[in-house]
Amino acid sequence: MNLRARTLEAKQQKRQKILEAAKELFFNKGYYGTAIEMITEKAGVSTGTFYLYYTNKIEIYKALQNEGLDILVDKITKVISWPGMSSLAKLSEIARAYFEYYNEHREYFDIISILSAIPDELKETQTEISRVIDNKAYNLLKVIEGVVKEGIENGEFISMDTWKVTNTFWGLMDGLILLDERNNTRNVIGIGLEDLIKQALEMAFYGIVKQRPG
Amino acid sequence: MNLRARTLEAKQQKRQKILEAAKELFFNKGYYGTAIEMITEKAGVSTGTFYLYYTNKIEIYKALQNEGLDILVDKITKVISWPGMSSLAKLSEIARAYFEYYNEHREYFDIISILSAIPDELKETQTEISRVIDNKAYNLLKVIEGVVKEGIENGEFISMDTWKVTNTFWGLMDGLILLDERNNTRNVIGIGLEDLIKQALEMAFYGIVKQRPG
Amino acid sequence: MNLRARTLEAKQQKRQKILEAAKELFFNKGYYGTAIEMITEKAGVSTGTFYLYYTNKIEIYKALQNEGLDILVDKITKVISWPGMSSLAKLSEIARAYFEYYNEHREYFDIISILSAIPDELKETQTEISRVIDNKAYNLLKVIEGVVKEGIENGEFISMDTWKVTNTFWGLMDGLILLDERNNTRNVIGIGLEDLIKQALEMAFYGIVKQRPG
Amino acid sequence: MNLRARTLEAKQQKRQKILEAAKELFFNKGYYGTAIEMITEKAGVSTGTFYLYYTNKIEIYKALQNEGLDILVDKITKVISWPGMSSLAKLSEIARAYFEYYNEHREYFDIISILSAIPDELKETQTEISRVIDNKAYNLLKVIEGVVKEGIENGEFISMDTWKVTNTFWGLMDGLILLDERNNTRNVIGIGLEDLIKQALEMAFYGIVKQRPG
DNA sequence: AATGAATGAGAGTTCATTCAT
DNA sequence: CATGAATGAACTCTCATTCAT
């Protein structure tokens, strides 16, 4: 490993350290509750150094969003790559994986979702990264749609608009987790999120109506 | 036009004018993107006047939350009060009403939900209004649960945990609207929110699986 | 009593009520800690009414100074008007009266003295009232000087510069009370103010040196 | 000239410059009459810089009090350390030193004493520095008491309560200076403060009564 | 005479960003 | 590359004073 490489690596490490500090702070204090100085102090670098690695406050926030999304996409892609699973099982696994992600990486979750304070700047300036993020999310949905299509083809699911169902399915998951974020479901509603998701799958798969019309 | 508000009614009107200005700004610029001075300028009053009507910035935000929730509760309560509706129709109506509310009062929706920036102060100080809001939301869910229970009793729905289903149902709606908020569904996903909700009801009611196991 | 008189009297009463409220607040919260609204609220009148009776905040502060000084002058004048007292006894009585005044009317004392926040405006604009106050204080000292002179003439005191001694004497009293204001002497120094004043008189009258030089 | 203060010394200098500006302003305009912006402007720094060196307005005021008291304690301690002085001479020197301090450092004097506006905040929050200041003042009095005790032991003074006398003595000095602060003695009373203090010492040492009783 | 809603300048403080070293 | 002192606009909130009613 030559000097250049070592230096490059060291740079990456510093960048990561700053990101790590920012993640924790954004998660705990929110975007507006986090000052650059808090990040640099936690990361053990100077204020100026921050701007050497990130152009501004918004940028690091977006970087975090990006990273968090990568982890999620990875997780879900992996889960449905196992052979021998029915489409139904795959959808179930996707829900489980999302739930797991929410549990294990809530910091990222909060930063990805609009739950936390949305910097206005983020909405207004549709920058490079914003588009990257939107793209990744879109692709993820397309992967899920693949599962739905497969289920219809192999006769597991009824015939339906796969794109609509996919989005609905995803919205359902998001909505439940959102519920949890808002209330901490177990305390307020009295049901744990895990149970709620299982119920949702039950409902999504088999419906709640006894007799179909006609 | 903007003379001294000497009567109680005139005072209420001015209070409302300030609230209106705040609503629009909070909606467009978010909590942190909105300065008191922007509100007062829009409302056509002076800085000091703001503090004559609201004790501080958070307070007016909460007032807005409260007002918005009241409208929603009203809307949903009304919709299920019509006689001669099946439970299924009622659930359907609830979804429609929520969707309508989102369309007609998106400003309120953004302020109620955690979508917009959550002022840290709002979380920390669990004030009177915060509790009122939580309560109203809880009661709304209880009303919906009533519909679900009714549906089971009269044989429309299968037997199930009503509280779980209610929350799942609500989460589904929330999740879809959230999706829309994030992406503006029609542009990104290519499906209008209305269609998506219809699909969701279809799914929730009848499921997507062809043959139930066993 | 005709209508005019009743009205006039009523006006005086309102003026007094405002003054009373101001006194208590200035004493407890200081000049800058007291807002006009606090005064009017306590007095049970409206904000506007305040400005009907006093031209501004400073003015009422000065009125209070004036009133307080009148009481003090009265007290001291009375005390030395009794016949058959030696000059020494008179000086002693003056000290006692001042101490008593401080105890009974600390609100006024704090407002008269420079102890409390001195509004800058008070220093800068040498207004009517300021001059009145200075005058009264000067006259009071002149009265005391009369006692000193008398004491020299009747052979009680040694021959000395009466004006210097008078001011010194007054400064001594002021200084001790100041000490008390600052520390609450009993708690910090461990001696009550009354004892301290007695000691001061002892010292002022007889000195602390054993053998006069020469 | 006002470049970045990179060395520790340069930082100390800037801190001092801000302090100096504050001292002059607090002295001339009082605590409430002095705005942070006035201080920074005078010191030639920006608003933000102020808060780099002092946490808030009160803090710099206390820092000034502390510094001023240090100078006084130093002055008085030095003055009585000379060998070969009688206790009487020492007391006389203490008075002279205090007078000198008042003349040379009136800014500090006004800030230490309660003469200037007492920020309410200062009273309420009994912070670290407040206690340090109280302590220093107490210790100063104890030093003076040492002189009085010595005087009694070596037969210069009559036997008396040394702590009472010390406080009385100090109160006398304070009272006279206070008189001067209030009136500018030379103009109003017609006697310079210096003469007044000399007279006070004369009185304190030898008394004003011709014949002691008994 | 009395009211009290309205004003708006000004206060103390924060913080993203810059740039000389 | 790294630093961290410096900036100054922007923020929320206060309050003496005015004046239409």
Side-chain angles (χ1 to χ4, degrees):
Chain A
M1 196 187 285
N2 62 23
L3 190 70
R4 191 134 91 132
R6 238 203 349 272
T7 307
L8 217 76
E9 200 190 342
K11 266 184 81 174
Q12 272 308 339
Q13 264 176 26
K14 195 168 269 185
R15 201 184 145 89
Q16 193 58 34
K17 208 168 182 179
I18 295 171
L19 200 71
E20 218 69 46
K23 179 170 54 172
E24 206 176 316
L25 285 161
F26 281 142
F27 171 57
N28 284 319
K29 316 239 172 205
Y31 184 78
Y32 289 103
T34 301
I36 300 291
E37 218 190 319
M38 294 163 77
I39 297 175
T40 54
E41 196 180 351
K42 202 181 202 42
V45 300
S46 71
T47 318
T49 302
F50 175 88
Y51 287 89
L52 242 43
Y53 290 89
Y54 298 92
T55 50
N56 51 35
K57 195 181 177 184
I58 273 288
E59 239 244 359
I60 198 171
Y61 193 80
K62 285 187 200 149
L64 240 14
Q65 283 190 132
N66 197 36
E67 197 175 281
L69 197 50
D70 277 347
I71 294 176
L72 176 60
V73 169
D74 240 54
K75 213 177 179 67
I76 291 188
T77 315
K78 237 171 234 157
V79 120
I80 58 174
S81 69
W82 285 86
M85 289 174 81
S86 68
S87 300
L88 194 63
K90 279 181 182 169
L91 280 189
S92 191
E93 276 298 292
I94 287 168
R96 205 193 44 72
Y98 195 18
F99 169 65
E100 205 178 271
Y101 173 73
Y102 169 65
N103 266 343
E104 290 171 0
H105 300 286
R106 192 161 313 184
E107 328 85 56
Y108 283 124
F109 186 90
D110 281 11
I111 289 164
I112 293 178
S113 77
I114 336 178
L115 302 177
S116 89
I118 332 160
D120 230 37
E121 304 91 319
L122 216 157
K123 287 191 218 156
E124 279 164 13
T125 52
Q126 184 73 5
T127 53
E128 189 58 22
I129 282 205
S130 310
R131 250 172 292 121
V132 168
I133 287 174
D134 278 0
N135 239 311
K136 280 183 185 157
Y138 184 80
N139 288 336
L140 185 56
L141 283 174
K142 277 297 176 190
V143 168
I144 300 176
E145 193 193 13
V147 174
V148 175
K149 274 181 174 157
E150 187 190 271
I152 294 174
E153 276 157 27
N154 64 25
E156 278 183 77
F157 301 149
I158 57 177
S159 169
M160 52 197 172
D161 183 320
T162 54
W163 188 229
K164 272 192 200 167
V165 167
T166 302
N167 277 282
T168 303
F169 181 77
W170 190 257
L172 177 54
M173 293 304 123
D174 254 15
L176 292 177
I177 292 186
L178 189 60
L179 222 60
D180 191 61
E181 275 280 312
R182 252 195 279 218
N183 308 318
N184 188 286
T185 49
R186 203 180 307 269
N187 295 334
V188 177
I189 315 185
I191 313 169
L193 177 60
E194 195 168 0
D195 276 355
L196 224 45
I197 289 182
K198 282 178 190 158
Q199 171 67 56
L201 291 178
E202 192 73 25
M203 184 177 91
F205 294 160
Y206 309 114
I208 61 174
V209 175
K210 237 177 194 160
Q211 280 312 94
R212 262 177 207 255
Chain B
M1 185 203 171
N2 230 303
L3 305 176
R4 310 238 162 150
R6 296 202 73 80
T7 65
L8 209 77
E9 201 196 349
K11 271 183 83 173
Q12 276 302 345
Q13 263 175 29
K14 191 162 265 187
R15 201 184 144 91
Q16 194 59 35
K17 203 168 184 178
I18 295 171
L19 199 72
E20 220 68 48
K23 181 169 52 173
E24 203 176 317
L25 285 161
F26 281 144
F27 170 56
N28 284 320
K29 315 247 172 201
Y31 184 80
Y32 289 104
T34 302
I36 300 290
E37 216 190 323
M38 295 163 74
I39 298 176
T40 54
E41 199 179 347
K42 202 180 214 9
V45 300
S46 72
T47 317
T49 301
F50 175 88
Y51 288 93
L52 233 48
Y53 290 88
Y54 297 93
T55 48
N56 50 37
K57 195 182 176 182
I58 272 287
E59 236 240 2
I60 197 170
Y61 191 80
K62 284 189 201 149
L64 240 15
Q65 281 193 132
N66 197 36
E67 198 175 278
L69 197 49
D70 276 348
I71 294 174
L72 175 61
V73 168
D74 238 55
K75 216 177 177 62
I76 291 188
T77 314
K78 238 171 232 156
V79 121
I80 58 173
S81 69
W82 284 87
M85 290 174 79
S86 68
S87 301
L88 193 64
K90 279 182 183 169
L91 279 190
S92 191
E93 277 297 293
I94 287 169
R96 203 191 47 72
Y98 194 19
F99 167 68
E100 204 178 271
Y101 174 73
Y102 170 64
N103 266 342
E104 290 171 359
H105 300 285
R106 192 161 315 183
E107 329 84 56
Y108 283 124
F109 185 90
D110 280 12
I111 290 164
I112 294 179
S113 78
I114 341 177
L115 301 178
S116 88
I118 330 160
D120 246 30
E121 301 93 315
L122 219 157
K123 287 190 219 154
E124 278 163 16
T125 49
Q126 184 75 3
T127 50
E128 189 56 38
I129 283 205
S130 310
R131 249 171 293 118
V132 168
I133 288 173
D134 278 359
N135 236 312
K136 279 181 187 160
Y138 184 81
N139 288 337
L140 185 56
L141 283 174
K142 277 297 176 190
V143 168
I144 300 175
E145 192 192 14
V147 174
V148 175
K149 274 183 174 157
E150 188 190 271
I152 295 175
E153 276 159 27
N154 64 27
E156 279 184 74
F157 301 150
I158 57 176
S159 170
M160 52 197 172
D161 183 322
T162 54
W163 189 231
K164 270 191 200 166
V165 168
T166 300
N167 277 282
T168 303
F169 181 77
W170 191 256
L172 177 52
M173 294 302 123
D174 255 15
L176 291 177
I177 292 185
L178 189 61
L179 220 61
D180 191 62
E181 275 280 312
R182 256 196 278 216
N183 306 318
N184 187 284
T185 50
R186 203 180 308 268
N187 296 334
V188 177
I189 315 184
I191 313 169
L193 178 60
E194 194 168 1
D195 277 355
L196 223 45
I197 289 183
K198 282 177 190 158
Q199 171 65 57
L201 291 178
E202 193 71 26
M203 183 178 93
F205 294 160
Y206 309 113
I208 60 174
V209 175
K210 232 176 198 159
Q211 281 310 96
R212 264 178 205 255
Chain C
M1 197 187 283
N2 60 24
L3 188 71
R4 191 134 93 132
R6 238 206 347 274
T7 307
L8 216 77
E9 199 191 342
K11 267 184 79 173
Q12 272 307 340
Q13 262 176 27
K14 197 168 266 186
R15 201 183 145 89
Q16 192 57 35
K17 208 168 183 179
I18 295 171
L19 199 72
E20 217 69 46
K23 179 170 55 173
E24 205 176 317
L25 285 162
F26 281 143
F27 171 55
N28 284 319
K29 315 239 172 206
Y31 183 79
Y32 289 104
T34 302
I36 300 290
E37 218 190 319
M38 294 163 76
I39 297 175
T40 54
E41 196 180 352
K42 202 179 203 41
V45 299
S46 72
T47 319
T49 302
F50 176 90
Y51 286 90
L52 241 44
Y53 290 88
Y54 297 92
T55 50
N56 51 35
K57 195 181 177 185
I58 273 289
E59 237 243 2
I60 197 171
Y61 192 80
K62 285 188 200 148
L64 240 13
Q65 283 190 134
N66 195 36
E67 197 175 281
L69 197 50
D70 277 347
I71 295 175
L72 175 61
V73 169
D74 240 54
K75 215 178 177 66
I76 290 189
T77 314
K78 238 171 232 156
V79 120
I80 57 173
S81 69
W82 284 87
M85 290 174 79
S86 69
S87 301
L88 193 63
K90 280 181 182 171
L91 280 189
S92 191
E93 277 297 293
I94 288 168
R96 205 192 44 72
Y98 195 18
F99 168 66
E100 204 177 271
Y101 173 74
Y102 169 65
N103 266 343
E104 291 171 359
H105 300 285
R106 193 161 313 183
E107 327 87 54
Y108 283 123
F109 186 90
D110 281 10
I111 290 165
I112 294 178
S113 79
I114 336 178
L115 301 177
S116 89
I118 332 161
D120 230 37
E121 303 91 319
L122 218 157
K123 286 191 220 156
E124 279 164 14
T125 50
Q126 184 73 7
T127 52
E128 188 58 20
I129 282 203
S130 310
R131 249 171 294 120
V132 168
I133 287 173
D134 278 0
N135 236 312
K136 280 182 187 158
Y138 184 81
N139 288 337
L140 185 56
L141 283 174
K142 277 298 176 189
V143 168
I144 301 176
E145 192 192 13
V147 175
V148 175
K149 274 182 174 156
E150 187 190 271
I152 295 175
E153 276 158 27
N154 65 25
E156 278 183 77
F157 300 149
I158 57 177
S159 170
M160 51 196 173
D161 183 320
T162 55
W163 188 230
K164 272 191 200 167
V165 167
T166 300
N167 278 282
T168 303
F169 181 76
W170 190 257
L172 177 53
M173 292 304 124
D174 255 14
L176 291 178
I177 292 185
L178 189 60
L179 219 61
D180 190 61
E181 275 280 311
R182 253 196 279 219
N183 307 319
N184 188 286
T185 48
R186 203 180 308 268
N187 295 335
V188 177
I189 315 184
I191 313 168
L193 178 60
E194 194 168 0
D195 277 355
L196 222 45
I197 290 184
K198 283 179 188 157
Q199 171 65 57
L201 290 178
E202 192 74 25
M203 184 178 92
F205 294 160
Y206 309 115
I208 60 175
V209 174
K210 234 177 196 161
Q211 281 310 97
R212 262 177 206 255
Chain D
M1 186 205 170
N2 230 304
L3 306 176
R4 310 237 163 151
R6 295 203 73 80
T7 66
L8 210 78
E9 201 197 350
K11 271 184 82 173
Q12 278 302 345
Q13 264 174 27
K14 190 162 267 188
R15 200 183 145 91
Q16 195 57 35
K17 202 167 184 178
I18 294 171
L19 200 71
E20 220 68 48
K23 180 168 52 173
E24 204 176 317
L25 285 161
F26 281 143
F27 170 55
N28 284 318
K29 314 247 173 199
Y31 184 79
Y32 288 105
T34 302
I36 300 290
E37 218 189 322
M38 294 163 74
I39 297 176
T40 54
E41 198 179 346
K42 203 181 215 8
V45 299
S46 71
T47 318
T49 302
F50 175 88
Y51 288 91
L52 234 48
Y53 290 89
Y54 296 93
T55 48
N56 49 37
K57 194 182 178 184
I58 271 287
E59 236 240 4
I60 198 171
Y61 191 80
K62 283 188 202 149
L64 238 15
Q65 281 191 133
N66 196 36
E67 198 175 278
L69 196 51
D70 277 346
I71 295 174
L72 175 61
V73 168
D74 239 54
K75 215 176 178 65
I76 291 188
T77 314
K78 236 170 235 157
V79 119
I80 58 173
S81 69
W82 285 87
M85 289 173 81
S86 68
S87 301
L88 194 64
K90 278 181 183 171
L91 280 190
S92 189
E93 277 298 293
I94 287 168
R96 203 191 46 72
Y98 195 20
F99 168 67
E100 202 177 273
Y101 174 73
Y102 169 66
N103 267 342
E104 291 171 359
H105 300 286
R106 192 161 317 182
E107 329 85 56
Y108 283 124
F109 186 90
D110 279 12
I111 289 164
I112 294 178
S113 77
I114 340 178
L115 301 178
S116 88
I118 329 160
D120 247 29
E121 302 94 313
L122 218 158
K123 287 190 218 154
E124 277 164 17
T125 49
Q126 185 74 4
T127 51
E128 190 56 40
I129 282 204
S130 310
R131 248 171 293 119
V132 168
I133 287 173
D134 278 358
N135 237 312
K136 280 182 186 159
Y138 185 80
N139 288 337
L140 186 56
L141 283 174
K142 277 296 176 191
V143 168
I144 300 176
E145 192 193 13
V147 175
V148 175
K149 273 182 175 157
E150 187 191 271
I152 294 175
E153 276 159 27
N154 64 27
E156 278 183 76
F157 300 148
I158 56 177
S159 169
M160 53 199 171
D161 183 322
T162 55
W163 189 230
K164 271 191 200 167
V165 167
T166 300
N167 278 283
T168 303
F169 181 77
W170 190 256
L172 176 54
M173 293 303 123
D174 255 15
L176 292 177
I177 292 185
L178 190 62
L179 221 60
D180 190 62
E181 275 280 312
R182 254 196 279 217
N183 307 320
N184 188 284
T185 50
R186 202 179 310 266
N187 297 334
V188 178
I189 315 185
I191 314 168
L193 177 60
E194 193 168 1
D195 276 356
L196 222 45
I197 290 184
K198 282 179 189 157
Q199 170 65 55
L201 291 178
E202 192 72 26
M203 183 178 92
F205 294 160
Y206 308 114
I208 58 174
V209 174
K210 231 176 198 160
Q211 281 310 97
R212 266 179 203 254

